């Protein structure tokens, strides 16, 4: 730890009752939404304390999502890198192929508890949209997914999947036509349909209580990993690595380990064409604190406070903000944040495919790229866990194009 | 700095007192600063009081106006594309204030551009430019102390939005520390969408007046003189935004540039709306 800020006794007690993680988080929403946000907060509190809710959640996570996901020793990649032992937390094996469904199951159970009858969501890469459409099909609720027109072009397989699942996919043409604009449009829908609609936010960001509840639903990743590494190695890992767009898979892996002071933690942002080029999505590395989408957090913006466009080969990381808890963890120095370029992520994508027989999504390819850099510098008795939060089937067209291959 | 220029809640209070004297409701007009470009926007702004605007809401452009419908989103985009930013917005107000010492100007928008400007510096500059009040859409009372308290200390009005979802439990919190007037958003939704029925507005006015003695301005979805008149029979002011901003859009040439009709098309609509509001209680 390098920060000189005072260390809290525990890193796991936030947010406070107003939804703040230090200076970050909060509830920066239009007044129309405030009563709903407060209602959601209360409903989540009640659910959290209700053993029946937890039981129901566990049931679906086990039999529908397919949890626990394995913690897999990536033996060939470890040998290839010649340093620390690399384990993959295989959340790409979940139903729908990513970690997103952990949260969607939790939120739709909450929505039904609250008597909501219509679901909306935003999506970037389409993984969260697919997961939301999936749970809506499973529980029989109508579903509208907002998706940036630019993302619709580059993630067409996921668009088709959502439609097959019965969801309505609404293209968003405003702004940069990607994830942040999809989120604006979902908020506009929500403010218009306050009575019956539940907004399933896909990442650990947005107004309180979303960053908290999404994190809690994703903590199943870290809780399992902790148990599994104890079983496999008899000790905790030396390093955790996960990719960060909004930051839900990362906080899900990190949070259960935050108070284990010997576990180093690294979050990997998307550096796009390189942080120095200005074309990237590295809000923690190159942004500053601001207010957007219901929370105060690190953002990419100009000196007038106008939000700038993010840029990444990975649609799931292409967002100019970040979950507020990550902003706090950065400032306090508990988690180290780095950035990986498109090019480095593509190289990691290839290496993982070729030496482990696992085609990763472009999002965790960023995490893998950091592992490729760092593992060789660590001794062979060290242990790394990297969150393989999604599979790469959806990305093959993007990757083919980047590699100049015609399909 | 001349006292005639600097901003403050007094100017808003005086305006409502005058409206009361005249026995009529006021017309609040919204335009986005710098839409479609800074010069044309200034021409429109200057012409508003003479056309019948009693109070002016000036939108601070923002890239991500998540509580606004397409009309105001596009206005924001046009302004930003024409190089608008906060300092220019404040000079626009200052230019207006040099000529008009009476018409209140309220800046309306989202928090991030203010936060990045720096709250203290922003309030100082806004007051000196002649801004009288602020409406910040994404700052509910739970989060607004950092802006509301210094705004009030500076003598400016901090105007909160109340909505159909603001119940009796919530309203006391919303009217606390607010001054000038209370803005009632008459429908749950984004700007420019549907409008509330007369019955809904009457009911809402009754509810609000149990909680505040401040004047109440009603907005969202008011597009025509007849609708404005209907609102003006119940409320202390009617707010029109998207319809005016759409008029700006309509007046542009094929390249999206202002034409010689831009200002006159806007004032034409404002005149109609004003006559609706002025005749409402006759």
């Amino acid at each position: 730890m390098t920060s000189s800020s005072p260390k809290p006794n525990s890193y796991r007690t936030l947010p406070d009752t107003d939804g703040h993680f230090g200076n970050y988080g909060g509830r920066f929403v239009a007044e129309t939404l405030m009563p709903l946000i407060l209602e959601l907060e209360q409903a989540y509190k009640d659910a959290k304390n209700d053993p029946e809710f937890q039981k129901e959640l566990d049931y679906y996570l086990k039999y529908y999502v397919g949890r626990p996901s394995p913690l897999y020793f990536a033996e060939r990649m470890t040998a290839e890198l010649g340093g620390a032992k690399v384990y993959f937390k295989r959340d790409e094996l979940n139903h729908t192929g990513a970690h997103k469904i952990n949260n969607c199951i939790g939120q739709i159970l909450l929505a039904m508890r609250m008597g909501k009858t219509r679901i909306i969501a935003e999506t970037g890469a389409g993984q969260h949209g697919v997961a939301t459409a999936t749970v809506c099909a499973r529980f029989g609720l109508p579903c509208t997914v907002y998706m940036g027109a630019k993302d619709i072009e580059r993630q067409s397989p996921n668009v088709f999947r959502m439609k097959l699942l019965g969801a309505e996919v609404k293209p968003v043409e405003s702004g940069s036509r990607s994830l942040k604009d999809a989120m604006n449009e979902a908020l506009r829908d929500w403010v218009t349909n306050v009575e019956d609609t539940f907004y399933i936010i896909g990442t650990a960001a947005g107004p309180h209580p979303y960053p908290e509840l999404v994190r809690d639903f994703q903590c199943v990743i870290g809780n399992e990993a902790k148990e599994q590494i104890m079983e496999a190695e008899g000790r905790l890992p030396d390093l955790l690595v996960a990719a960060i767009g909004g930051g839900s898979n990362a906080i899900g892996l990190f949070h259960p380990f935050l108070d284990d002071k010997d576990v180093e933690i690294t979050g990997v942002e998307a550096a796009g064409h390189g942080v120095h080029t200005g074309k990237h999505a590295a809000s923690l590395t190159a942004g500053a604190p601001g207010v957007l989408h219901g929370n105060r957090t690190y953002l990419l913006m100009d000196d007038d406070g106008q939000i700038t466009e993010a840029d990444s080969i990975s649609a799931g990381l292409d967002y100019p903000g970040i979950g507020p808890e990550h902003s706090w963890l950065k400032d306090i120095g508990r988690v180290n944040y780095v950035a990986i370029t498109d090019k480095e992520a593509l190289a990691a994508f290839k290496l993982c495919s070729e030496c482990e027989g696992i085609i990763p999504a472009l999002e965790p390819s960023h995490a893998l790229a950091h592992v490729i850099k760092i593992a060789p510098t660590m001794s062979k008795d060290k242990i790394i866990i990297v969150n393989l939060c999604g599979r790469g089937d959806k990305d093959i067209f993007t990757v083919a194009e980047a590699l100049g291959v015609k399909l | 700095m001349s006292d005639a220029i600097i901003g403050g809640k007094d100017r808003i209070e005086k305006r409502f007192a005058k409206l009361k004297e005249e026995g009529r409701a006021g017309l609040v007009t919204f335009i986005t600063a710098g839409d479609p470009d800074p010069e044309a926007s200034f021409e429109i702004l200057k012409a508003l009081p003479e056309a019948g605007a009693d109070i002016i809401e000036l939108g601070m452009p923002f890239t991500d106006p998540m509580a606004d419908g397409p009309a105001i989103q596009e206005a924001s985009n046009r302004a930003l594309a024409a190089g608008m930013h906060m300092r220019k917005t404040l000079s626009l107000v200052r230019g207006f204030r040099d000529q008009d010492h009476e018409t209140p100007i309220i800046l309306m928008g989202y928090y991030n551009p203010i936060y990045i400007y720096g709250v203290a510096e922003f309030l100082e500059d806004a007051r000196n430019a002649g801004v009288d009040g602020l409406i910040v859409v994404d700052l509910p009372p739970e989060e607004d102390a950092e802006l509301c308290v210094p705004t009030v200390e500076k003598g400016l009005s901090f105007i909160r939005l109340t909505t159909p979802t603001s119940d009796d439990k919530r309203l006391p919190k919303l009217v606390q520390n607010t001054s000038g007037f209370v803005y009632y958003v008459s429908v749950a939704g984004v700007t420019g969408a549907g409008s509330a029925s007369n019955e809904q507005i009457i009911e809402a006015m009754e509810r609000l007046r149990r909680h505040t003695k401040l004047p109440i301005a009603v907005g969202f979805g008011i597009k025509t003189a007849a609708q404005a008149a209907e609102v003006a029979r119940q409320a202390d002011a009617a707010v029109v935004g998207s319809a005016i901003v759409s008029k700006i859009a309509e007046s542009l040439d094929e390249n999206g540039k202002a034409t010689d009709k831009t200002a006159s098309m806007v004032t034409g609509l404002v005149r109609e709306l004003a006559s609706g509001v002025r005749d409402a209680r006759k």
Side-chain angles (χ1 to χ4, degrees):
Chain A
M1 231 106 325
T2 52
S3 169
S4 58
S5 326
K7 305 277 182 293
N9 291 327
S10 168
Y11 295 95
R12 303 190 61 197
T13 58
L14 295 179
D16 65 17
T17 50
D18 295 319
H20 295 126
F21 300 88
N23 187 34
Y24 304 103
R27 293 173 283 211
F28 295 86
V29 295
E31 176 56 30
T32 310
L33 289 178
M34 263 321 285
L36 280 92
I37 299 266
L38 295 171
E39 184 196 346
L40 173 62
E41 189 187 330
Q42 191 54 48
Y44 180 56
K45 250 186 222 159
D46 296 345
K48 221 165 45 169
N49 294 323
D50 179 356
E52 281 305 307
F53 179 80
Q54 197 55 49
K55 214 170 119 191
E56 210 183 354
L57 182 60
D58 291 344
Y59 173 85
Y60 287 108
L61 287 177
K62 181 171 178 187
Y63 293 100
Y64 192 65
V65 176
R67 300 208 72 93
S69 71
L71 183 73
Y72 162 76
F73 174 44
E75 200 177 344
R76 286 201 65 214
M77 186 177 265
T78 298
E80 174 79 25
L81 299 177
K85 285 178 93 168
V86 179
Y87 280 86
F88 292 170
K89 179 58 177 164
R90 298 205 51 194
D91 257 53
E92 100 283 7
L93 291 175
N94 293 337
H95 181 40
T96 73
H99 70 289
K100 293 291 187 186
I101 193 137
N102 303 331
N103 164 49
C104 288
I105 289 279
Q107 286 200 47
I108 201 160
L109 293 177
L110 195 55
M112 291 188 299
R113 248 179 106 94
M114 293 173 73
K116 301 293 178 181
T117 54
R118 174 178 177 262
I119 301 292
I120 57 170
E122 86 295 336
T123 196
Q127 291 305 105
H128 174 59
V130 166
T132 305
T134 298
V135 298
C136 286
R138 170 60 185 79
F139 294 99
L141 294 181
C143 175
T144 301
V145 179
Y146 291 93
M147 187 167 182
K150 185 169 106 187
D151 292 335
I152 287 183
E153 287 157 23
R154 57 181 172 174
Q155 298 288 345
S156 56
N158 270 345
V159 176
F160 187 57
R161 286 166 83 194
M162 286 184 267
K163 288 180 178 165
L164 285 175
L165 291 160
E168 179 191 12
V169 180
K170 285 202 175 165
V172 177
E173 295 285 355
S174 58
S176 59
R177 304 160 76 232
S178 70
L179 180 54
K180 85 172 168 78
D181 311 285
M183 200 151 178
N184 288 333
E185 216 48 47
L187 284 164
R188 288 178 188 126
D189 180 314
W190 198 23
V191 85
T192 309
N193 300 291
V194 288
E195 292 300 325
D196 63 345
T197 298
F198 189 99
Y199 179 13
I200 299 190
I201 293 185
T203 193
H208 177 65
Y210 282 102
E212 178 187 4
L213 71 87
V214 174
R215 174 199 72 199
D216 291 352
F217 291 139
Q218 292 296 0
C219 273
V220 67
I221 301 172
N223 287 329
E224 285 175 8
K226 209 167 184 177
E227 214 169 279
Q228 290 165 323
I229 198 70
M230 289 306 291
E231 199 176 301
E233 295 281 350
R235 68 174 185 90
L236 293 177
D238 299 287
L239 174 66
L240 301 174
V241 182
I244 302 202
S248 71
N249 89 81
I251 204 70
L253 175 65
F254 298 170
H255 198 261
F257 291 90
L258 287 177
D259 286 339
D260 299 307
K261 60 180 174 38
D262 295 330
V263 179
E264 260 189 68
I265 305 180
T266 299
V268 184
E269 298 192 286
H273 297 267
V275 170
H276 64 281
T277 65
K279 294 171 81 178
H280 60 80
S283 32
L284 287 171
T285 308
V291 173
L292 179 73
H293 292 154
N295 53 184
R296 184 175 353 234
T297 193
Y298 277 80
L299 299 173
L300 299 178
M301 59 191 157
D302 67 14
D303 57 9
D304 190 41
Q306 306 296 339
I307 309 305
T308 52
E309 288 182 25
D311 198 315
S312 168
I313 189 168
S314 149
L317 304 182
D318 200 348
Y319 180 66
I322 178 82
E325 194 163 13
H326 286 293
S327 293
W328 177 70
L329 289 167
K330 174 196 158 78
D331 280 9
I332 203 129
R334 176 63 185 98
V335 177
N336 175 38
Y337 293 91
V338 299
I340 285 291
T341 64
D342 290 352
K343 230 171 148 182
E344 293 168 317
L346 275 168
F349 177 97
K350 283 181 72 179
L351 182 71
C352 184
S353 301
E354 286 164 9
C355 81
E356 288 295 345
I358 297 170
I359 300 178
L362 282 168
E363 292 79 13
S365 295
H366 285 72
L368 288 166
H370 180 67
V371 169
I372 289 170
K373 279 186 184 173
I374 202 84
T377 70
M378 296 165 70
S379 62
K380 290 189 177 179
D381 59 347
K382 299 288 184 189
I383 301 166
I384 300 175
I385 297 179
V386 55
N387 199 6
L388 209 69
C389 63
R391 64 175 184 228
D393 308 41
K394 68 179 174 61
D395 291 318
I396 54 170
F397 300 101
T398 308
V399 172
E401 200 188 311
L403 299 176
V405 178
K406 214 167 174 196
L407 293 183
Chain B
M1 194 64 49
S2 147
D3 280 356
I5 286 171
I6 61 164
K9 69 186 172 77
D10 300 357
R11 197 175 273 127
I12 303 173
E13 283 165 2
K14 269 186 209 152
R15 179 50 48 107
F16 274 105
K18 181 170 162 255
L19 291 170
K20 201 170 180 184
E21 232 174 74
E22 291 173 17
R24 67 175 181 93
L27 173 65
V28 183
T29 58
F30 173 95
I31 59 168
T32 297
D35 171 30
D37 63 70
E39 293 73 33
S41 182
F42 187 54
E43 291 309 309
I44 297 168
L45 183 63
K46 277 191 304 187
L48 287 174
E50 198 269 321
D54 297 299
I55 294 174
I56 295 169
E57 279 179 13
L58 192 59
M60 299 172 278
F62 185 48
T63 39
D64 294 78
M66 58 223 168
D68 284 298
I72 294 178
Q73 287 174 44
E74 281 159 28
S76 228
N77 290 341
R78 286 193 295 268
L80 290 171
M84 205 59 192
H85 53 69
M86 190 66 95
R87 284 178 203 278
K88 283 191 189 171
T89 298
L90 296 179
S91 1
L92 206 63
V93 176
R94 180 57 205 260
F96 174 85
R97 195 50 87 216
D98 282 339
Q99 307 171 15
D100 184 317
H101 296 175
E102 266 96 51
T103 310
I105 290 204
I106 321 283
L107 288 184
M108 182 167 186
Y110 297 81
Y111 185 44
N112 201 50
I114 296 174
Y115 180 62
I116 297 309
Y117 197 104
V119 166
E121 194 190 345
F122 170 78
L123 289 173
E124 178 69 18
D125 291 355
R127 181 173 173 269
N128 290 341
V131 172
D132 305 300
L134 296 181
I135 301 176
V136 184
V137 180
D138 55 352
L139 274 189
E142 280 79 356
E143 299 291 347
D144 72 14
E146 66 189 64
L147 182 63
C148 172
V149 173
T151 301
V152 171
E153 280 170 7
K154 206 80 192 158
L156 305 189
S157 279
F158 192 82
I159 295 150
R160 289 217 187 84
L161 303 176
T162 58
T163 77
T165 61
S166 315
D167 54 19
D168 284 314
K169 209 176 117 207
R170 199 157 166 79
L171 278 169
K173 202 175 227 184
L174 292 170
V175 297
Q176 201 184 21
N177 271 336
T178 193
S179 63
F181 62 94
V182 171
Y183 189 135
Y184 180 65
V185 170
S186 63
V187 288
V190 292
T191 50
S195 53
S197 73
N198 205 26
E199 292 71 39
Q200 288 169 322
I201 290 173
I202 291 172
E203 196 233 297
M205 290 305 101
E206 280 172 6
R207 190 155 45 90
L208 283 167
R209 286 196 168 116
R210 284 202 300 272
H211 293 275
T212 181
K213 291 195 162 60
L214 287 172
I216 298 166
V218 173
F220 274 47
I222 303 170
K223 292 188 170 67
T224 64
Q227 285 172 320
E230 198 160 329
V231 168
R233 277 189 273 276
Q234 314 303 336
D236 301 297
V239 189
V240 184
S242 296
I244 295 174
V245 159
S246 299
K247 204 48 103 179
I248 296 178
E250 225 178 274
S251 77
L252 305 179
D253 68 16
E254 63 271 25
N255 300 316
K257 301 285 181 227
T259 62
D260 50 13
K261 291 184 303 191
T262 298
S264 62
M265 279 176 75
V266 172
T267 50
L269 174 64
V270 171
R271 256 179 254 286
E272 276 173 42
L273 294 164
S275 72
V277 167
R278 280 161 206 254
D279 296 342
R281 296 189 199 159
K282 280 183 186 164

